Amino acid sequence: MRIYAFGLLAAILSVSLVSHAQEWELAEAPLYTPWADKVNPEQVLPEYPRPMMMRDAWLNLNGLWEFSPVEQGTPIRFGKKLDQHILVPYPWESALSGQRVQLDSRRARYRRTFELPAAWAEQDLLLHFGAVDWEASVYLNGQFVGQHRGGFDAFSLDITAFLKEKGPQELIVEVYDPGNDEAIAYGKQSNDRFSNPQRFSYTPASGIWQTVWLEPVADWHITDLHLVPHLDHTYLSVEIDMSHLSREKLIKVEISDSSQIIATSQGLAHQTLEIDLPNPRHWSPEDPFLYPVKITLTDSAGTVYDVVDSYFGMRKISIEPSRAGAQQLMLNNEVYFQMGPLDQGYWPDGIFTAPTDEALKWDIVKMKEFGFNMVRKHIKIEPQRWYYWCDKIGLLVWQDMPSTHKFRSEAMEIQFESELQSMIKTHWNHPSIVNWVVFNEHWGLYDPVRLTEFVMALDPSRLVTGNSGIDAGKPDVDFEVGHIKDDHSYRPPTVTFANDKRAVVCGEYGAIGYLPQDHTWDVDGPWVHYNYAGLEEATAEYERFVDMLIEFKREHLSAAVYTQWTDVENEMNGIYSYDRKVIKLDQARVTAANQSTYQEAPQDPER
């Protein structure tokens, strides 16, 4: 165990958290990652949390907050300290939070104070939450500011009208998380698994689980942006949303090649700008080149209201038919076989939240070192920095929408569709994301044709999978919509071939597992996928499966997803152990096998 004396946050943040030192203690858990002892409660996840839309001025509110479980309807005592503490932004079920508890009420309150720099006195103030699972009610200085529902999407509140002129500002957040008791998008979480982990569902992750931060802005400011590369016609389209409607404000866009500005355009803020980019450098896993972008909001007199920094990758994802008529996945107009692991994004010490940004990056670096060019993010949406590292390091992403196993009411359908739209619009600037997955294996499936077509219309620059897995070849459930026909087949992989409407992929295969001694979450089981004797036998099976995939590729298989990147709790089929300390397959042999899938090209597409 480690105990830190916790006082004021670092001076560079200029934030007062509490008036006297507090203590944080890492709670006991079955396993810890190598980064658990690198968590500093005085600078928790200090990196700017939104690389796609950066401003210079901001304050990180991560760190030690007051905390208390509550029952529904318990009155809020403003100005009164709570009796416990929690390290934000780690879920209260996690060891890194210092709590590692499951609450019968499913409800808790967070409290902290902060003071603002004097330089911000004339500006508006935005309060940002990366994600809170599931319902967050926010109060500032005794007044209700707003409420958000949805466990995976970012939200922001303008708190300017609720600020005191000087002194400490009191922030209270009440969180309610029903978990899988209700038909919300909870993904793999299960309220029954906290003390009894088993099979394919895992520990819940409740409360604040992504960075909380403050940002000063002018009354007129940019609220969102949409960058779409058009590779065939060598231009970038830029749209922005503003805090107010105006036909007079201007935006200026400057594109650099990392060393100098190479393209500039200016126009009315409510219009789409199309910026020519002759001879662009294409983004790919082999060359993940990113163009920096600066966007400035002004008026005709030259007054600058807002400046944000962003980036984009010039790339195109598509499907095209081969000479034999079967659709194939294309990247930048070339046939491109995609090979990647399924990644659930769970951490034994942080559950939904990686201990550090270094840990997030480590997973992606290692995937590339194993010869993968893609990853399927399974039933979870990550913090923005995870996608930033995929963009920067070069890893294609299939992004699943979290779902439910329960029957949805009309209200829950509306909520799901709101969160689905938020997932896409929050992440659609990332060049790494090439495929949206609406449903997985019929979990919570409803109106699949309508929702798949909705996503295709919302983001026509990417591919869409309507229902990943077990629809292939079954007339009663198959629907010819979307870009990808996805079969799931474990030991051994199989696929359904020759589809003239959708590219054919094996969206899950593998599950080659065994128990890593002294690196198992639950030593008593029951375990899933622990069928093999050890590293040698498991690696040989992996190589056998890849040989089968190469044969399937000759029949126009376009991609394959190996289950999975790490063990997760009682699911023992990872390339790494759950704590990321043991490699369970021979890295050199797996890398060689993966690279062999890229070497033999299928038939060229029809031009």
Side-chain angles (χ1 to χ4, degrees):
M1 295 299 162
R2 297 170 305 117
I3 298 177
Y4 286 89
F6 189 90
L8 297 181
L9 284 177
I12 58 171
L13 297 181
S14 305
V15 177
S16 173
L17 176 59
V18 290
S19 59
H20 61 281
Q22 301 290 346
E23 292 182 339
W24 168 74
E25 184 176 359
L26 179 68
E28 292 187 8
L31 296 173
Y32 302 98
T33 66
W35 302 275
D37 62 359
K38 297 181 180 180
V39 173
N40 179 355
E42 296 189 12
Q43 291 190 11
V44 182
L45 298 175
E47 299 81 11
Y48 192 90
R50 191 184 57 194
M52 268 296 178
M53 189 172 150
M54 297 184 66
R55 294 186 176 97
D56 290 336
W58 70 292
L59 293 181
N60 193 329
L61 296 186
N62 292 343
L64 200 67
W65 291 43
E66 296 169 19
F67 178 80
S68 180
V70 294
E71 298 293 331
Q72 183 177 9
T74 303
I76 299 177
R77 300 175 65 197
F78 297 106
K80 300 294 183 180
K81 294 180 180 179
L82 304 180
D83 58 0
Q84 300 177 38
H85 292 88
I86 188 169
L87 194 62
V88 170
Y90 302 105
W92 64 61
E93 295 91 348
S94 71
L96 285 169
S97 73
Q99 289 284 331
R100 198 165 184 259
V101 295
Q102 187 172 28
L103 305 178
D104 292 338
S105 67
R106 314 274 195 252
R107 188 180 298 270
R109 285 190 188 133
Y110 296 72
R111 178 185 181 272
R112 63 156 296 161
T113 62
F114 61 88
E115 293 188 15
L116 298 176
W120 293 9
E122 301 301 319
Q123 295 182 278
D124 290 354
L125 193 65
L126 302 178
L127 172 63
H128 300 286
F129 293 85
V132 181
D133 196 359
W134 176 75
E135 177 187 271
S137 301
V138 181
Y139 303 82
L140 186 66
N141 297 324
Q143 300 182 74
F144 176 71
V145 178
Q147 185 182 80
H148 176 80
R149 288 182 169 182
F152 295 92
D153 39 326
F155 63 98
S156 301
L157 298 168
D158 188 332
I159 61 173
T160 311
F162 305 93
L163 294 169
K164 296 190 297 184
E165 288 188 9
K166 60 181 179 179
Q169 315 282 340
E170 182 189 39
L171 175 61
I172 293 176
V173 183
E174 181 166 323
V175 178
Y176 169 62
D177 180 19
N180 66 328
D181 288 347
E182 296 183 16
I184 61 174
Y186 53 74
K188 288 291 193 80
Q189 302 178 79
S190 173
N191 295 337
D192 300 328
R193 300 299 183 248
F194 183 74
S195 58
N196 183 30
Q198 55 183 293
R199 298 193 65 77
F200 306 105
S201 55
Y202 320 123
T203 298
S206 302
I208 299 172
W209 69 275
Q210 291 186 30
T211 292
V212 186
W213 47 294
L214 296 169
E215 193 171 43
V217 293
D219 180 40
W220 287 92
H221 61 270
I222 297 168
T223 57
D224 202 1
L225 53 91
H226 190 194
L227 310 177
V228 182
H230 297 267
L231 182 140
D232 290 340
H233 301 287
T234 65
Y235 73 90
L236 176 76
S237 68
V238 179
E239 300 177 35
I240 73 161
D241 292 334
M242 291 187 301
S243 52
H244 308 288
L245 295 176
S246 173
R247 293 188 176 275
E248 298 177 353
K249 295 296 184 288
L250 305 173
I251 59 168
K252 180 180 180 182
V253 180
E254 298 170 295
I255 300 175
S256 303
D257 66 357
S258 297
S259 61
Q260 61 181 348
I261 297 174
I262 60 172
T264 302
S265 183
Q266 181 169 295
L268 294 175
H270 68 281
Q271 294 179 338
T272 300
L273 290 184
E274 296 181 352
I275 306 167
D276 290 332
L277 201 65
N279 302 312
R281 184 170 168 182
H282 296 173
W283 183 96
S284 71
E286 293 72 31
D287 182 19
F289 180 78
L290 299 172
Y291 286 94
V293 181
K294 182 182 291 291
I295 301 175
T296 305
L297 177 64
T298 68
D299 60 20
S300 58
T303 302
V304 174
Y305 295 91
D306 198 4
V307 179
V308 298
D309 289 306
S310 188
Y311 65 86
F312 71 96
M314 200 69 178
R315 69 102 185 92
K316 175 186 176 183
I317 188 73
S318 60
I319 60 171
E320 291 188 24
S322 69
R323 292 189 181 92
Q327 297 286 348
Q328 296 178 106
L329 294 180
M330 311 286 288
L331 179 65
N332 301 333
N333 293 324
E334 300 291 338
V335 177
Y336 194 87
F337 189 79
Q338 298 183 28
M339 186 80 166
L342 180 142
D343 176 25
Q344 318 243 20
Y346 271 74
W347 304 82
D349 37 27
I351 311 300
F352 263 14
T353 310
T356 65
D357 191 63
E358 179 188 358
L360 274 184
K361 178 182 178 181
W362 184 92
D363 264 4
I364 296 158
V365 169
K366 289 299 179 182
M367 290 177 196
K368 288 290 293 282
E369 289 180 0
F370 269 84
F372 294 114
N373 60 18
M374 171 266 285
V375 58
R376 179 181 175 194
K377 179 55 63 174
H378 191 43
I379 318 296
K380 184 197 176 192
I381 303 170
E382 290 287 358
Q384 287 276 351
R385 290 196 63 86
W386 186 87
Y387 303 95
Y388 163 75
W389 286 121
C390 291
D391 295 340
K392 189 174 180 64
I393 294 168
L395 196 66
L396 302 178
V397 176
W398 295 9
Q399 178 59 56
D400 289 13
M401 176 63 196
S403 193
T404 177
H405 286 282
K406 296 183 179 295
F407 173 79
R408 289 188 175 93
S409 65
E410 182 178 358
M412 286 296 97
E413 289 180 358
I414 293 172
Q415 178 67 33
F416 174 79
E417 292 175 38
S418 173
E419 293 183 49
L420 174 64
Q421 179 173 246
S422 178
M423 176 186 75
I424 294 164
K425 296 183 72 173
T426 303
H427 298 88
W428 60 8
N429 292 326
H430 290 282
S432 58
I433 300 177
V434 295
N435 180 24
W436 302 116
V437 181
V438 183
F439 292 106
N440 179 72
E441 296 183 352
H442 294 76
W443 300 354
L445 184 79
Y446 75 98
D447 291 351
V449 174
R450 177 178 66 84
L451 290 177
T452 302
E453 291 177 341
F454 165 75
V455 174
M456 293 169 68
L458 182 62
D459 184 9
S461 70
R462 286 179 176 83
L463 304 179
V464 181
T465 301
N467 182 31
S468 176
I470 68 175
D471 70 328
K474 296 185 178 181
D476 57 327
V477 295
D478 195 9
F479 48 92
E480 292 289 343
V481 67
H483 302 103
I484 294 176
K485 188 179 186 68
D486 182 352
D487 215 0
H488 293 180
S489 178
Y490 290 92
R491 305 189 301 269
T494 59
V495 292
T496 301
F497 294 121
N499 190 282
D500 61 356
K501 296 181 180 179
R502 293 180 289 169
V504 172
V505 308
C506 184
E508 293 181 26
Y509 80 97
I512 304 169
Y514 62 91
L515 301 180
Q517 187 175 3
D518 300 325
H519 296 270
T520 303
W521 177 262
D522 184 351
V523 296
D524 299 321
W527 305 292
V528 180
H529 300 152
Y530 60 106
N531 311 75
Y532 295 82
L535 183 145
E536 175 59 35
E537 185 180 35
T539 303
E541 187 79 313
Y542 187 94
E543 291 170 321
R544 185 173 76 91
F545 287 176
V546 170
D547 287 342
M548 297 177 68
L549 294 175
I550 291 173
E551 290 297 319
F552 298 153
K553 182 182 174 184
R554 296 187 180 114
E555 299 294 332
H556 301 294
L557 177 71
S558 283
V561 178
Y562 177 76
T563 303
Q564 63 183 325
W565 178 237
T566 72
D567 296 344
V568 183
E569 298 192 1
N570 287 51
E571 200 167 339
M572 310 309 298
N573 51 9
I575 293 175
Y576 272 89
S577 59
Y578 190 22
D579 57 10
R580 275 80 166 171
K581 294 179 180 178
V582 176
I583 302 177
K584 297 177 63 182
L585 300 179
D586 184 283
Q587 180 171 347
R589 291 165 62 185
V590 169
T591 303
N594 289 341
Q595 291 175 343
S596 71
T597 65
Y598 312 134
Q599 293 168 0
E600 181 177 342
Q603 295 183 37
D604 291 333
E606 191 72 51
R607 297 297 186 185

PDB file of all heavy atoms in Angstrom, residues 12 109 146 157 161 165 181-182 206 212 228 294 304 311 357 404-405 442 444 458 470 552 598:
ATOM      1  N   ILE A  12       1.007  25.179 -10.892  1.00  0.00           N
ATOM      2  CA  ILE A  12       0.728  25.490 -12.295  1.00  0.00           C
ATOM      3  C   ILE A  12      -0.748  25.390 -12.600  1.00  0.00           C
ATOM      4  O   ILE A  12      -1.221  25.952 -13.576  1.00  0.00           O
ATOM      5  CB  ILE A  12       1.514  24.556 -13.228  1.00  0.00           C
ATOM      6  CG1 ILE A  12       1.173  23.082 -12.946  1.00  0.00           C
ATOM      7  CG2 ILE A  12       3.001  24.775 -13.109  1.00  0.00           C
ATOM      8  CD1 ILE A  12       1.743  22.133 -13.970  1.00  0.00           C
ATOM      9  N   ARG A 109     -22.352  11.222  -3.661  1.00  0.00           N
ATOM     10  CA  ARG A 109     -22.085  12.633  -3.892  1.00  0.00           C
ATOM     11  C   ARG A 109     -20.591  12.886  -3.839  1.00  0.00           C
ATOM     12  O   ARG A 109     -19.862  12.296  -3.041  1.00  0.00           O
ATOM     13  CB  ARG A 109     -22.788  13.509  -2.845  1.00  0.00           C
ATOM     14  CG  ARG A 109     -24.275  13.610  -3.098  1.00  0.00           C
ATOM     15  CD  ARG A 109     -24.954  14.638  -2.234  1.00  0.00           C
ATOM     16  NE  ARG A 109     -26.408  14.517  -2.437  1.00  0.00           N
ATOM     17  CZ  ARG A 109     -27.295  14.477  -1.457  1.00  0.00           C
ATOM     18  NH1 ARG A 109     -26.902  14.602  -0.194  1.00  0.00           N
ATOM     19  NH2 ARG A 109     -28.570  14.346  -1.728  1.00  0.00           N
ATOM     20  N   GLY A 146     -27.151  21.758 -13.806  1.00  0.00           N
ATOM     21  CA  GLY A 146     -27.645  20.937 -14.895  1.00  0.00           C
ATOM     22  C   GLY A 146     -27.484  19.461 -14.598  1.00  0.00           C
ATOM     23  O   GLY A 146     -26.849  19.068 -13.609  1.00  0.00           O
ATOM     24  N   LEU A 157     -20.948  22.261 -19.145  1.00  0.00           N
ATOM     25  CA  LEU A 157     -21.928  23.181 -18.582  1.00  0.00           C
ATOM     26  C   LEU A 157     -21.302  24.565 -18.472  1.00  0.00           C
ATOM     27  O   LEU A 157     -20.160  24.698 -18.008  1.00  0.00           O
ATOM     28  CB  LEU A 157     -22.379  22.699 -17.201  1.00  0.00           C
ATOM     29  CG  LEU A 157     -23.074  21.332 -17.149  1.00  0.00           C
ATOM     30  CD1 LEU A 157     -23.191  20.865 -15.701  1.00  0.00           C
ATOM     31  CD2 LEU A 157     -24.441  21.396 -17.805  1.00  0.00           C
ATOM     32  N   ALA A 161     -22.867  31.987 -14.696  1.00  0.00           N
ATOM     33  CA  ALA A 161     -23.910  32.668 -13.908  1.00  0.00           C
ATOM     34  C   ALA A 161     -23.959  32.189 -12.465  1.00  0.00           C
ATOM     35  O   ALA A 161     -24.617  32.829 -11.627  1.00  0.00           O
ATOM     36  CB  ALA A 161     -25.267  32.461 -14.579  1.00  0.00           C
ATOM     37  N   GLU A 165     -18.174  36.117  -6.909  1.00  0.00           N
ATOM     38  CA  GLU A 165     -17.190  37.071  -7.394  1.00  0.00           C
ATOM     39  C   GLU A 165     -15.789  36.753  -6.913  1.00  0.00           C
ATOM     40  O   GLU A 165     -14.804  36.980  -7.615  1.00  0.00           O
ATOM     41  CB  GLU A 165     -17.582  38.490  -6.968  1.00  0.00           C
ATOM     42  CG  GLU A 165     -18.788  39.034  -7.724  1.00  0.00           C
ATOM     43  CD  GLU A 165     -19.019  40.499  -7.426  1.00  0.00           C
ATOM     44  OE1 GLU A 165     -18.143  41.128  -6.774  1.00  0.00           O
ATOM     45  OE2 GLU A 165     -20.057  41.028  -7.844  1.00  0.00           O
ATOM     46  N   ASP A 181     -29.083  -2.919 -13.925  1.00  0.00           N
ATOM     47  CA  ASP A 181     -30.447  -3.071 -13.421  1.00  0.00           C
ATOM     48  C   ASP A 181     -31.457  -2.456 -14.376  1.00  0.00           C
ATOM     49  O   ASP A 181     -32.648  -2.792 -14.326  1.00  0.00           O
ATOM     50  CB  ASP A 181     -30.590  -2.409 -12.052  1.00  0.00           C
ATOM     51  CG  ASP A 181     -29.876  -3.179 -10.951  1.00  0.00           C
ATOM     52  OD1 ASP A 181     -29.489  -4.340 -11.211  1.00  0.00           O
ATOM     53  OD2 ASP A 181     -29.699  -2.636  -9.853  1.00  0.00           O
ATOM     54  N   GLU A 182     -31.006  -1.529 -15.217  1.00  0.00           N
ATOM     55  CA  GLU A 182     -31.883  -0.873 -16.179  1.00  0.00           C
ATOM     56  C   GLU A 182     -31.317  -1.026 -17.585  1.00  0.00           C
ATOM     57  O   GLU A 182     -30.131  -1.330 -17.760  1.00  0.00           O
ATOM     58  CB  GLU A 182     -32.052   0.616 -15.832  1.00  0.00           C
ATOM     59  CG  GLU A 182     -32.738   0.851 -14.491  1.00  0.00           C
ATOM     60  CD  GLU A 182     -32.958   2.319 -14.194  1.00  0.00           C
ATOM     61  OE1 GLU A 182     -32.863   3.146 -15.141  1.00  0.00           O
ATOM     62  OE2 GLU A 182     -33.213   2.661 -13.026  1.00  0.00           O
ATOM     63  N   SER A 206     -18.689   2.939 -11.736  1.00  0.00           N
ATOM     64  CA  SER A 206     -19.677   3.985 -11.460  1.00  0.00           C
ATOM     65  C   SER A 206     -19.010   5.309 -11.107  1.00  0.00           C
ATOM     66  O   SER A 206     -17.913   5.342 -10.557  1.00  0.00           O
ATOM     67  CB  SER A 206     -20.574   3.555 -10.291  1.00  0.00           C
ATOM     68  OG  SER A 206     -21.220   2.328 -10.566  1.00  0.00           O
ATOM     69  N   VAL A 212     -12.193  15.808 -15.162  1.00  0.00           N
ATOM     70  CA  VAL A 212     -13.052  16.971 -14.938  1.00  0.00           C
ATOM     71  C   VAL A 212     -12.151  18.211 -15.039  1.00  0.00           C
ATOM     72  O   VAL A 212     -11.072  18.235 -14.446  1.00  0.00           O
ATOM     73  CB  VAL A 212     -13.714  16.926 -13.552  1.00  0.00           C
ATOM     74  CG1 VAL A 212     -14.720  18.066 -13.409  1.00  0.00           C
ATOM     75  CG2 VAL A 212     -14.386  15.576 -13.313  1.00  0.00           C
ATOM     76  N   VAL A 228     -13.396  16.928 -42.100  1.00  0.00           N
ATOM     77  CA  VAL A 228     -13.588  15.763 -42.963  1.00  0.00           C
ATOM     78  C   VAL A 228     -12.590  15.812 -44.113  1.00  0.00           C
ATOM     79  O   VAL A 228     -12.654  16.711 -44.957  1.00  0.00           O
ATOM     80  CB  VAL A 228     -15.020  15.694 -43.529  1.00  0.00           C
ATOM     81  CG1 VAL A 228     -15.185  14.434 -44.384  1.00  0.00           C
ATOM     82  CG2 VAL A 228     -16.050  15.704 -42.402  1.00  0.00           C
ATOM     83  N   LYS A 294      -5.077  25.126 -36.976  1.00  0.00           N
ATOM     84  CA  LYS A 294      -5.442  26.188 -36.042  1.00  0.00           C
ATOM     85  C   LYS A 294      -6.696  26.872 -36.581  1.00  0.00           C
ATOM     86  O   LYS A 294      -6.746  27.264 -37.755  1.00  0.00           O
ATOM     87  CB  LYS A 294      -4.318  27.206 -35.885  1.00  0.00           C
ATOM     88  CG  LYS A 294      -4.633  28.324 -34.878  1.00  0.00           C
ATOM     89  CD  LYS A 294      -3.504  29.337 -34.781  1.00  0.00           C
ATOM     90  CE  LYS A 294      -2.283  28.717 -34.130  1.00  0.00           C
ATOM     91  NZ  LYS A 294      -2.514  28.425 -32.686  1.00  0.00           N
ATOM     92  N   VAL A 304     -10.276  38.994 -32.136  1.00  0.00           N
ATOM     93  CA  VAL A 304     -10.183  37.549 -31.965  1.00  0.00           C
ATOM     94  C   VAL A 304     -10.990  37.133 -30.737  1.00  0.00           C
ATOM     95  O   VAL A 304     -10.758  37.636 -29.627  1.00  0.00           O
ATOM     96  CB  VAL A 304      -8.715  37.102 -31.805  1.00  0.00           C
ATOM     97  CG1 VAL A 304      -8.631  35.614 -31.487  1.00  0.00           C
ATOM     98  CG2 VAL A 304      -7.924  37.420 -33.064  1.00  0.00           C
ATOM     99  N   TYR A 311      -6.110  18.802 -35.280  1.00  0.00           N
ATOM    100  CA  TYR A 311      -5.295  18.097 -36.272  1.00  0.00           C
ATOM    101  C   TYR A 311      -6.211  17.198 -37.092  1.00  0.00           C
ATOM    102  O   TYR A 311      -7.364  16.946 -36.720  1.00  0.00           O
ATOM    103  CB  TYR A 311      -4.190  17.269 -35.589  1.00  0.00           C
ATOM    104  CG  TYR A 311      -4.701  16.142 -34.724  1.00  0.00           C
ATOM    105  CD1 TYR A 311      -4.998  14.878 -35.268  1.00  0.00           C
ATOM    106  CD2 TYR A 311      -4.878  16.304 -33.354  1.00  0.00           C
ATOM    107  CE1 TYR A 311      -5.458  13.845 -34.481  1.00  0.00           C
ATOM    108  CE2 TYR A 311      -5.343  15.272 -32.565  1.00  0.00           C
ATOM    109  CZ  TYR A 311      -5.631  14.047 -33.127  1.00  0.00           C
ATOM    110  OH  TYR A 311      -6.098  13.013 -32.349  1.00  0.00           O
ATOM    111  N   ASP A 357      -1.846   8.199 -18.401  1.00  0.00           N
ATOM    112  CA  ASP A 357      -1.836   8.350 -19.852  1.00  0.00           C
ATOM    113  C   ASP A 357      -0.768   7.455 -20.476  1.00  0.00           C
ATOM    114  O   ASP A 357      -0.945   6.946 -21.590  1.00  0.00           O
ATOM    115  CB  ASP A 357      -1.582   9.815 -20.216  1.00  0.00           C
ATOM    116  CG  ASP A 357      -1.816  10.112 -21.681  1.00  0.00           C
ATOM    117  OD1 ASP A 357      -2.958   9.973 -22.146  1.00  0.00           O
ATOM    118  OD2 ASP A 357      -0.848  10.481 -22.367  1.00  0.00           O
ATOM    119  N   THR A 404     -26.940  -3.032 -24.165  1.00  0.00           N
ATOM    120  CA  THR A 404     -27.599  -3.651 -23.019  1.00  0.00           C
ATOM    121  C   THR A 404     -28.118  -5.023 -23.438  1.00  0.00           C
ATOM    122  O   THR A 404     -28.291  -5.289 -24.628  1.00  0.00           O
ATOM    123  CB  THR A 404     -28.774  -2.788 -22.527  1.00  0.00           C
ATOM    124  OG1 THR A 404     -29.438  -3.460 -21.450  1.00  0.00           O
ATOM    125  CG2 THR A 404     -29.801  -2.567 -23.632  1.00  0.00           C
ATOM    126  N   HIS A 405     -28.346  -5.886 -22.481  1.00  0.00           N
ATOM    127  CA  HIS A 405     -28.992  -7.166 -22.754  1.00  0.00           C
ATOM    128  C   HIS A 405     -30.493  -7.107 -22.485  1.00  0.00           C
ATOM    129  O   HIS A 405     -31.203  -8.085 -22.731  1.00  0.00           O
ATOM    130  CB  HIS A 405     -28.377  -8.266 -21.884  1.00  0.00           C
ATOM    131  CG  HIS A 405     -27.010  -8.685 -22.325  1.00  0.00           C
ATOM    132  ND1 HIS A 405     -26.795  -9.517 -23.402  1.00  0.00           N
ATOM    133  CD2 HIS A 405     -25.792  -8.381 -21.833  1.00  0.00           C
ATOM    134  CE1 HIS A 405     -25.494  -9.711 -23.552  1.00  0.00           C
ATOM    135  NE2 HIS A 405     -24.869  -9.036 -22.616  1.00  0.00           N
ATOM    136  N   HIS A 442     -26.655  -9.025 -31.382  1.00  0.00           N
ATOM    137  CA  HIS A 442     -28.061  -8.854 -31.039  1.00  0.00           C
ATOM    138  C   HIS A 442     -28.308  -8.313 -29.633  1.00  0.00           C
ATOM    139  O   HIS A 442     -29.457  -8.267 -29.182  1.00  0.00           O
ATOM    140  CB  HIS A 442     -28.841 -10.176 -31.200  1.00  0.00           C
ATOM    141  CG  HIS A 442     -28.932 -10.658 -32.601  1.00  0.00           C
ATOM    142  ND1 HIS A 442     -27.879 -11.262 -33.244  1.00  0.00           N
ATOM    143  CD2 HIS A 442     -29.940 -10.612 -33.503  1.00  0.00           C
ATOM    144  CE1 HIS A 442     -28.240 -11.582 -34.481  1.00  0.00           C
ATOM    145  NE2 HIS A 442     -29.480 -11.199 -34.661  1.00  0.00           N
ATOM    146  N   GLY A 444     -29.475  -6.067 -27.123  1.00  0.00           N
ATOM    147  CA  GLY A 444     -30.322  -4.877 -27.148  1.00  0.00           C
ATOM    148  C   GLY A 444     -30.766  -4.480 -28.535  1.00  0.00           C
ATOM    149  O   GLY A 444     -31.168  -3.336 -28.751  1.00  0.00           O
ATOM    150  N   LEU A 458     -25.317   9.899 -40.974  1.00  0.00           N
ATOM    151  CA  LEU A 458     -24.690  10.859 -40.076  1.00  0.00           C
ATOM    152  C   LEU A 458     -23.205  11.017 -40.383  1.00  0.00           C
ATOM    153  O   LEU A 458     -22.665  12.127 -40.347  1.00  0.00           O
ATOM    154  CB  LEU A 458     -24.887  10.425 -38.625  1.00  0.00           C
ATOM    155  CG  LEU A 458     -24.324  11.338 -37.537  1.00  0.00           C
ATOM    156  CD1 LEU A 458     -24.999  12.712 -37.571  1.00  0.00           C
ATOM    157  CD2 LEU A 458     -24.495  10.691 -36.159  1.00  0.00           C
ATOM    158  N   ILE A 470     -22.805 -13.219 -35.692  1.00  0.00           N
ATOM    159  CA  ILE A 470     -23.910 -14.189 -35.712  1.00  0.00           C
ATOM    160  C   ILE A 470     -25.099 -13.794 -36.568  1.00  0.00           C
ATOM    161  O   ILE A 470     -26.144 -14.411 -36.473  1.00  0.00           O
ATOM    162  CB  ILE A 470     -24.387 -14.572 -34.299  1.00  0.00           C
ATOM    163  CG1 ILE A 470     -25.060 -13.416 -33.563  1.00  0.00           C
ATOM    164  CG2 ILE A 470     -23.260 -15.165 -33.465  1.00  0.00           C
ATOM    165  CD1 ILE A 470     -25.654 -13.820 -32.214  1.00  0.00           C
ATOM    166  N   PHE A 552      -8.699 -18.001 -45.993  1.00  0.00           N
ATOM    167  CA  PHE A 552      -9.971 -17.284 -46.131  1.00  0.00           C
ATOM    168  C   PHE A 552      -9.773 -15.971 -46.881  1.00  0.00           C
ATOM    169  O   PHE A 552     -10.650 -15.526 -47.629  1.00  0.00           O
ATOM    170  CB  PHE A 552     -10.567 -16.989 -44.749  1.00  0.00           C
ATOM    171  CG  PHE A 552     -10.891 -18.210 -43.938  1.00  0.00           C
ATOM    172  CD1 PHE A 552     -10.889 -18.157 -42.560  1.00  0.00           C
ATOM    173  CD2 PHE A 552     -11.210 -19.412 -44.549  1.00  0.00           C
ATOM    174  CE1 PHE A 552     -11.197 -19.268 -41.803  1.00  0.00           C
ATOM    175  CE2 PHE A 552     -11.520 -20.531 -43.801  1.00  0.00           C
ATOM    176  CZ  PHE A 552     -11.506 -20.472 -42.417  1.00  0.00           C
ATOM    177  N   TYR A 598      -0.662  -9.781 -44.304  1.00  0.00           N
ATOM    178  CA  TYR A 598      -0.654  -8.609 -45.176  1.00  0.00           C
ATOM    179  C   TYR A 598       0.086  -8.856 -46.491  1.00  0.00           C
ATOM    180  O   TYR A 598       0.006  -8.051 -47.409  1.00  0.00           O
ATOM    181  CB  TYR A 598       0.015  -7.423 -44.477  1.00  0.00           C
ATOM    182  CG  TYR A 598      -0.469  -7.169 -43.067  1.00  0.00           C
ATOM    183  CD1 TYR A 598       0.424  -6.930 -42.032  1.00  0.00           C
ATOM    184  CD2 TYR A 598      -1.828  -7.152 -42.780  1.00  0.00           C
ATOM    185  CE1 TYR A 598      -0.015  -6.696 -40.734  1.00  0.00           C
ATOM    186  CE2 TYR A 598      -2.274  -6.924 -41.485  1.00  0.00           C
ATOM    187  CZ  TYR A 598      -1.361  -6.700 -40.468  1.00  0.00           C
ATOM    188  OH  TYR A 598      -1.809  -6.461 -39.187  1.00  0.00           O
TER     189      TYR A 598
END
